[in-house]
């Protein structure tokens, strides 16, 4: 199979879909890899590194998309890339279609076979291709929350961990999954007062036990969430329902009760965000204000640490890339139910129920399409 790796064009997205080690593994198995010139620079992978691994370097994204049977990316195709999509081509990347009707329509009209990293799901319900980026985003959420608490950035002027004789910041993490736990762990490491809220009591118990009771846990009800929001200095929204829009848990009314200069970091923004006023922002312009609070809603947070993020992502995606390249997407999915859950579109058919629900579109089961 011929695999293509275009350069990412999202604002400050410096990750790349495939590094030199992944190229070498594919070429060693008899596949061809074409890479857009400069695609790996942000992740410190040079064109020379790719050539040494066996890739062919092409001058433009248009050439890569035109020549490749399978495109490996990091982020969803932006509008300027929609015309590259075509029937018979496999697209393997993060998609988050439930929050992007235009891209959903573009994929359906193109006939492309689109497979989303974020909905590949193992029998234990874990998300192996989302987990590494979730871990990075969770850790970054605490870092950016602490940073934006500084007064010159419009924050409350509070040091997250305080110093002896002063109060620590109160950090509220909504959602106890990978993002939430990593955010809570980082905040605890900075000596903040940390609370995690979730609907899964078993998961709250795991977090409390793993962190020896240093992280406070609380069952999430509307009344309790309202109380915790009022006292929080930093709120991290990390609620995820695979393939569906995130629920709007933090209302305008709740935010209006927060302390001036409090910071809200919405890690669920790729799926529409879990705060009522959330809207996607960029690394160039990451924040906006609501009721004298600071909202941070950057949709590609791991793109700010591309060397770490590219390596972690490639470690997770490469086995699936090799499987698809070696067997074709249908046979790969027939032998791997987890991968089959990643199928979203094929020849104008929508395969994911969450996306269909979000946009009012007819859904054809992935099992039927694969068969």
């Amino acid at each position: 199979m011929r695999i293509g790796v275009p350069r990412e064009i999202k604002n400050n997205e410096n990750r790349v879909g495939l590094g030199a080690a992944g190229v070498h593994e594919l070429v060693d198995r008899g596949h061809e890899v074409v890479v857009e010139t400069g695609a790996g620079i942000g992740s410190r992978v040079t064109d020379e590194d790719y050539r040494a691994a066996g890739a062919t370097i092409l001058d433009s994204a248009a050439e890569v998309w035109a020549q490749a049977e399978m495109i490996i990316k990091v982020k969803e195709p932006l509008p300027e890339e929609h015309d590259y999509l075509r029937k018979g081509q496999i697209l393997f990347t993060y998609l988050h279609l439930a929050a992007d009707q235009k891209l959903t329509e573009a994929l359906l009209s193109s006939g492309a076979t689109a497979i989303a990293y974020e909905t590949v799901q193992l029998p234990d319900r874990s998300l192996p291709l989302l987990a590494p980026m979730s871990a990075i985003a969770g850790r970054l959420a605490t870092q950016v929350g602490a940073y934006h608490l500084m007064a010159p950035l419009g924050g409350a002027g509070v040091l997250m961990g305080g110093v002896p004789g002063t109060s620590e910041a109160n950090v509220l993490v909504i959602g106890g999954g990978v993002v939430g736990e990593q955010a809570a762990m980082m905040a605890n490491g900075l000596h903040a007062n940390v609370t995690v809220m979730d609907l899964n009591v078993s998961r709250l118990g795991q977090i409390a036990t793993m962190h020896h009771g240093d992280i406070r846990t609380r069952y999430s009800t509307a009344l309790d969430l309202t109380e915790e929001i009022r006292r929080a200095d930093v709120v991290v929204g990390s609620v995820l329902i695979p393939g569906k829009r995130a629920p709007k848990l933090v209302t305008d009314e709740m935010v209006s009760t927060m302390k001036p200069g409090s910071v809200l970091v919405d890690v669920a923004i790729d799926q529409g965000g879990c705060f009522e006023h959330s809207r996607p922002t960029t690394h160039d312009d990451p924040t906006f204000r609501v009721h004298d609070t600071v909202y941070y809603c950057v949709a590609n947070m791991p793109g700010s640490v591309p060397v770490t993020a590219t390596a972690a992502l490639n470690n997770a995606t490469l086995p699936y890339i090799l499987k698809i390249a070696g067997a074709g997407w249908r046979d790969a999915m027939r032998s791997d139910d987890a991968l089959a859950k990643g199928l979203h579109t094929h020849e104008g058919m929508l395969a994911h129920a969450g996306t269909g629900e979000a946009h009012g579109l007819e859904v054809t089961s992935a099992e039927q399409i694969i068969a």
Side-chain angles (χ1 to χ4, degrees):
M1 184 179 285
R2 184 180 292 116
I3 294 94
V5 184
R7 181 175 57 86
E8 298 294 326
I9 62 172
K10 197 177 184 78
N11 180 275
N12 277 291
E13 182 50 77
N14 292 302
R15 290 172 290 179
V16 65
L18 196 64
V23 169
H24 183 272
E25 291 297 314
L26 285 160
V27 172
D28 193 51
R29 287 164 171 77
H31 305 293
E32 298 177 55
V33 182
V34 293
V35 179
E36 182 182 355
T37 184
I41 293 300
S43 297
R44 299 183 187 170
V45 186
T46 67
D47 288 355
E48 290 69 29
D49 293 331
Y50 281 122
R51 287 192 183 97
T56 299
I57 304 299
L58 299 180
D59 291 334
S60 68
E63 291 176 275
V64 172
W65 283 85
Q67 291 189 26
E69 298 167 81
M70 176 164 63
I71 292 288
I72 304 298
K73 281 178 53 46
V74 179
K75 293 304 292 178
E76 72 284 349
L78 297 185
E80 49 266 54
E81 297 171 299
H82 290 181
D83 286 344
Y84 294 142
L85 298 165
R86 71 174 193 272
K87 183 179 179 179
Q89 187 174 65
I90 303 163
L91 172 65
F92 197 26
T93 188
Y94 289 116
L95 288 171
H96 301 289
L97 294 185
D100 195 337
Q101 186 165 355
K102 288 184 178 179
L103 176 56
T104 302
E105 292 169 350
L107 286 166
L108 291 172
S109 64
S110 73
T113 300
I115 307 168
Y117 294 156
E118 72 273 9
T119 60
V120 173
Q121 189 172 37
L122 296 172
D124 65 0
R125 303 190 69 185
S126 63
L127 304 167
L129 307 189
L130 190 61
M133 296 305 98
S134 295
I136 291 171
R139 295 184 180 199
L140 284 173
T142 296
Q143 289 186 194
V144 300
Y147 178 68
H148 286 284
L149 275 177
M150 294 195 297
L153 296 167
V158 174
L159 180 65
M160 184 169 278
V163 294
T166 69
S167 298
E168 301 85 0
N170 295 318
V171 177
L172 172 63
V173 179
I174 306 172
V178 175
V179 171
E181 186 191 352
Q182 294 296 315
M185 179 188 72
M186 290 292 282
N188 183 54
L190 290 173
H191 304 294
N193 297 317
V194 187
T195 300
V196 177
M197 300 190 76
D198 199 285
L199 293 172
N200 187 330
V201 176
S202 176
R203 179 60 181 155
L204 292 176
Q206 292 173 353
I207 291 171
T209 300
M210 285 188 292
H211 298 281
H212 309 291
D214 290 338
I215 294 173
R216 179 172 169 257
T217 60
R218 192 167 184 184
Y219 184 77
S220 185
T221 66
L223 187 63
D224 292 335
L225 179 59
T226 299
E227 177 186 324
E228 294 293 339
I229 289 283
R230 188 180 299 116
R231 62 189 292 272
D233 296 290
V234 174
V235 179
V236 176
S238 59
V239 178
L240 174 69
I241 302 172
K244 294 187 177 184
R245 289 188 69 88
K248 299 292 187 183
L249 299 180
V250 178
T251 66
D252 174 77
E253 184 178 356
M254 291 178 185
V255 175
S256 70
T257 69
M258 294 183 72
K259 294 176 281 188
S262 299
V263 180
L264 297 97
V265 182
D266 198 340
V267 188
I269 192 63
D270 273 325
Q271 292 293 98
C274 59
F275 307 149
E276 182 176 348
H277 288 290
S278 288
R279 55 177 172 80
T281 60
T282 67
H283 290 290
D284 282 345
D285 188 16
T287 64
F288 58 92
R289 300 189 74 84
V290 176
H291 293 303
D292 207 21
T293 66
V294 179
Y295 273 57
Y296 180 98
C297 302
V298 173
N300 60 327
M301 292 174 64
S304 64
V305 287
V307 175
T308 299
T310 290
L313 180 61
N314 287 187
N315 290 343
T317 58
L318 184 58
Y320 292 95
I321 293 169
L322 292 171
K323 188 174 291 189
I324 295 168
W329 69 271
R330 270 199 170 91
D331 283 344
M333 289 184 179
R334 285 169 182 153
S335 66
D336 190 331
D337 289 339
L339 180 59
K341 286 181 170 57
L343 182 64
H344 277 248
T345 70
H346 172 68
E347 295 187 355
M349 293 178 285
L350 179 64
H352 198 275
T355 303
E357 179 183 330
H359 305 310
L361 297 172
E362 182 181 347
V363 175
T364 304
S365 72
E367 292 79 8
Q368 185 177 341
I369 294 173
I370 295 165

